[in-house]
Amino acid sequence: MAKIARGERNNNPGNIRHGSKWQGLSTQQTDKDFCQFISPEYGIRAIYKLLQTYQKKYGLNTIKKIINRYAPPNENNTEGYIIRASKEIGVEVDNPINTQLKNITIPLAVAIVNIELGYQPYSEKVFEDAWLLL
């Protein structure tokens, strides 16, 4: 059996670090670096909220700008991340996107989970159910 990634074990497939008081956080936080959620839907909801906040608060409206903040070069191969996310959702890296739109944000979150975990353990329904938590 393949090893389960830390992000999946934490119900945090976006590997979101501690900092905000996210909705759906587990009462026990045993991972010193990354948030732990009560379900993958709440972990994915946190990805959606981050993507929306990046656009609303910081004006980040392209895959390149969003991923540069989400996955900074000091921790990631950010350039590779940007290219892969762009290919997965079929939007050029510098084209404006609207993270308030479900048909943009869900595919971007799916790409983020694919990249962060290295595989995709969640059905389309999990991403849809997470959207309903917004």
Side-chain angles (χ1 to χ4, degrees):
M1 187 172 150
K3 186 178 178 204
I4 296 173
R6 183 182 192 177
E8 186 179 3
R9 288 192 313 269
N10 287 342
N11 288 323
N12 180 2
N15 287 321
I16 295 169
R17 293 188 178 277
H18 291 293
S20 295
K21 295 294 180 201
W22 294 105
Q23 193 178 97
L25 281 176
S26 296
T27 52
Q28 295 251 325
Q29 295 291 313
T30 57
D31 187 316
K32 69 179 181 63
D33 296 314
F34 296 99
C35 296
Q36 293 170 288
F37 292 92
I38 59 174
S39 72
E41 289 84 358
Y42 278 102
I44 293 167
R45 176 196 178 274
I47 297 170
Y48 298 156
K49 293 299 281 184
L50 266 180
L51 298 176
Q52 291 175 343
T53 298
Y54 288 172
Q55 187 159 10
K56 279 193 256 182
K57 189 171 180 179
Y58 305 107
L60 307 179
N61 67 344
T62 66
I63 293 171
K64 186 175 190 172
K65 290 175 184 175
I66 289 167
I67 299 300
N68 261 308
R69 182 168 180 108
Y70 189 92
N74 63 320
E75 299 177 6
N76 301 277
N77 171 3
T78 305
E79 204 54 43
Y81 202 128
I82 291 165
I83 291 165
R84 183 168 168 196
S86 172
K87 283 182 182 169
E88 284 195 27
I89 69 169
V91 175
E92 293 296 320
V93 298
D94 289 316
N95 283 6
I97 60 173
N98 183 347
T99 58
Q100 307 309 307
L101 299 176
K102 178 180 171 183
N103 68 326
I104 296 295
T105 307
I106 289 179
L108 183 52
V110 169
I112 287 170
V113 171
N114 285 336
I115 296 165
E116 290 289 332
L117 298 183
Y119 58 94
Q120 183 55 256
Y122 308 111
S123 68
E124 188 177 311
K125 183 180 184 324
V126 172
F127 286 90
E128 292 286 335
D129 289 348
W131 186 264
L132 298 175
L133 295 171
L134 291 173

